[in-house]
Amino acid sequence: MPAGVPCIGVVVVVEMNKHDLEAVPMTATPDRRHLALAVPDLMERRPSVRVADVVEVTYSSSAQSESGMPVPNGVKYRGYVAVVRKDDILVHVPQELQSNHRDNESLYDVRFFLGRVMEKRKHHALHLLESQVEWLFPSPLGMGEVSRILLSVSPKVLKSAVEDSSNVGPLLNEEQGKAFQDIIRLTELSIGGGGKAKSKGRAVPPPYILHGPPGTGKTTTIVKAICYIYKRYPSSRILACAATNSAADSLLLGLVGCGITSILRLNAHTRPLDGLNPVPEEVMRYSNRHSGGGFQTPTREEFLGHRVVVSTSCSASGVWQAGMEAELYSHVFVDEASSMVEPECLIPIACCLHPQSVVVLAGDPQQLGPVVHCLLCKGMDGSGRGGGLEMSLLERLMTSEPSKSIYMNGLAQDGGCGPVPRFFATKLVRNYRSHRAILELPSRLFYNNELVAESNVQLTSSLCRWAELPNKNEFPILFHAVDGTAMRDEGSPSFFNAEECAQVVRYVEKLLADQTLGLRSAEIGVVAPYRRQVQKLQHHLHNKLQFDDIKVGSVEEFQGQERRVIILTTVRSDPAFVQDEYTQNIGFIKNPKRLNVAITRAMHLLIIVGNPKALKPDANWRKLLEYCVDNHAYVGCPLAEQQL
């Protein structure tokens, strides 16, 4: 079991105290349902304030003297964070405080406390799985027997499944088809055509892992499998989860689009209906009931009325809270599994795990994993490689023994019985989004040179003739070397680089000024590793130039998204400072997953703005520099040959 679970709450509470505020005003929202509170460096501090965290509000001792209004001394009002925005939060407070509030007059002292609901759910999941050690740490022993049973599934069943799946949505490629058939084999082993459990007493199959880089169709494969199981196996019940509300909504709409009608979107009580990320109208049609205070947990009868439930992993605990027995669910699908801490990923599994369960995990262990702030929780070396919480369940199964032998060797060993075919993992390698030149380097660095560009060449080459590209021969990548200075504003821990910021803005203006490209501002994304650089760029692009549709954000904010154009600014400029961070195993440049995420967001054009002297100490960044130099895609300050 991952180390450090008990200490997470303690560490987060200590860090959250840094957000506490004194003598601050709040502003009532137009509907007067919430009070808006500006929180300095909201997105920069880690951990940040989250929805459902507890807020304790008292009238500031200076409130009466400054405003002249009477205030109840010492009264503490407890509320919760309803919405988190870029620079402020919306707080739900008791009616008494809301009624007496006056904009710009009332002053408050505000304290933040960890909302423990999520942590309690994680602990409960671990408790439920105490007796499932063999499933949590699967061994190759016995997998030969399971594989032989899977191999015996009728070819007619598999052929019929593939033919049926081709009637709705895009056709599956070879790797997707293999994964689809593997899941059907596991379904036959579990419930079979007659809906009765088969082969009791045998070893329990491990979780099935569907992995691969962005744009390879993991979610499409999951949707196809769920739709077929729903139609072909009437006794099936499926819990489908993702890490975020937006991903869960997309999963829901994909399932509805393929004809699933008995489906419920399970939303957390605290999910806001409107605000920055409102609940889409088409999602509300399938959602649990909403009253004035929030979404209501469905009853057992309501769950029984829907064969497919879609939720975030954390909200999946509603299934257990409603009294649904684990045996009622035949399948659990978890998308984005590599981005969750292991206990979070285990919440839906713990609610539904039984000997005939089919569990499918989808994700990419080469992309950003869970965000963990406590060094003790990360692992022995602070990197997550020591078995800590920074390693997701999916990554642990694929990289740690004994389960590594099941997933990575291609063969399952069963004592002296020899090798048998592998049915427990599939790697998707065909990318349908990006230009082949953009894929080539991440393929080489992170995916064993296996990625195949399958996108529309005419579309992905649409920006290859842009006037600013030094190499216009099907190489839509540009590294612009800037010898700038990374600075920090007084009182801020975050870096910005004015020279790089100016260069990014110049490229944005040139791209949108070139009418031959047919580029819209919403198709450009700007990635920066430091919050202050993000804020500087947002000021220039949004406030000054009115390019409001251009998303500017951190690497984490772009994970799971893509744009036709990605401009990456690396900010750091002092090689000595970067080298110090590098040796301490910290910082943006040291993290290969951040590099992978940043460059794979681009579909048709990738621009990197940075200081090569600061980047070259890292082997992966040095290979990126070499890749650009070798393909005549390097511009800016001269790069001496010996620097590489």
Side-chain angles (χ1 to χ4, degrees), residues 3 372 374-390:
V372 179
C374 171
L375 289 178
L376 176 61
C377 298
K378 289 184 178 184
M380 295 300 293
D381 61 356
S383 68
R385 307 302 301 185
L389 290 175
E390 204 170 44

Side-chain angles (χ1 to χ4, degrees), residues 132-188:
Q132 303 285 353
V133 175
E134 290 185 1
W135 188 92
L136 287 168
F137 299 92
S139 166
L141 187 64
M143 288 305 106
E145 174 200 356
V146 176
S147 293
R148 279 190 290 274
I149 297 173
L150 294 173
L151 190 62
S152 68
V153 172
S154 169
K156 290 183 179 180
V157 170
L158 299 176
K159 182 180 179 182
S160 173
V162 172
E163 290 175 350
D164 186 80
S165 73
S166 65
N167 294 329
V168 180
L171 295 175
L172 299 177
N173 62 39
E174 181 182 349
E175 294 80 19
Q176 290 174 313
K178 187 261 183 190
F180 176 83
Q181 291 186 55
D182 287 347
I183 295 170
I184 301 307
R185 289 181 191 271
L186 288 165
T187 303
E188 283 288 310

Side-chain angles (χ1 to χ4, degrees), residues 605-627:
L605 175 63
L606 172 63
I607 301 172
I608 305 108
V609 179
N611 188 325
K613 290 183 290 186
L615 301 174
K616 68 181 179 64
D618 180 77
N620 290 321
W621 279 97
R622 189 161 58 251
K623 289 185 182 298
L624 185 147
L625 285 165
E626 291 171 350
Y627 184 54

Side-chain angles (χ1 to χ4, degrees), residues 45-224:
R45 287 188 180 143
R46 299 293 185 265
S48 188
V49 175
R50 302 177 304 178
V51 170
D53 282 338
V54 176
V55 177
E56 182 183 274
V57 181
T58 58
Y59 283 101
S60 173
S61 58
S62 60
Q64 184 169 359
S65 60
E66 292 189 12
S67 67
M69 59 181 291
V71 297
N73 290 327
V75 177
K76 296 179 180 179
Y77 299 92
R78 291 181 72 85
Y80 64 86
V81 178
V83 180
V84 177
R85 302 191 292 197
K86 286 182 181 179
D87 301 306
D88 66 0
I89 60 174
L90 300 186
V91 182
H92 181 86
V93 295
Q95 184 60 42
E96 179 185 350
L97 182 65
Q98 183 74 267
S99 300
N100 293 326
H101 169 78
R102 299 181 187 177
D103 285 355
N104 303 318
E105 292 185 16
S106 304
L107 296 178
Y108 306 98
D109 294 337
V110 182
R111 297 185 66 194
F112 293 91
F113 298 90
L114 174 67
R116 297 187 179 275
V117 173
M118 300 299 184
E119 306 311 318
K120 287 181 179 179
R121 290 174 181 173
K122 295 171 188 176
H123 280 271
H124 183 64
L126 298 179
H127 173 70
L128 291 176
L129 292 170
E130 282 180 351
S131 61
Q132 303 285 353
V133 175
E134 290 185 1
W135 188 92
L136 287 168
F137 299 92
S139 166
L141 187 64
M143 288 305 106
E145 174 200 356
V146 176
S147 293
R148 279 190 290 274
I149 297 173
L150 294 173
L151 190 62
S152 68
V153 172
S154 169
K156 290 183 179 180
V157 170
L158 299 176
K159 182 180 179 182
S160 173
V162 172
E163 290 175 350
D164 186 80
S165 73
S166 65
N167 294 329
V168 180
L171 295 175
L172 299 177
N173 62 39
E174 181 182 349
E175 294 80 19
Q176 290 174 313
K178 187 261 183 190
F180 176 83
Q181 291 186 55
D182 287 347
I183 295 170
I184 301 307
R185 289 181 191 271
L186 288 165
T187 303
E188 283 288 310
L189 177 65
S190 171
I191 59 178
K196 296 181 179 180
K198 294 188 173 184
S199 304
K200 290 186 177 180
R202 48 139 175 90
V204 178
Y208 188 86
I209 292 181
L210 178 64
H211 62 110
T216 51
K218 296 184 291 295
T219 303
T220 297
T221 307
I222 287 175
V223 168
K224 287 266 191 178

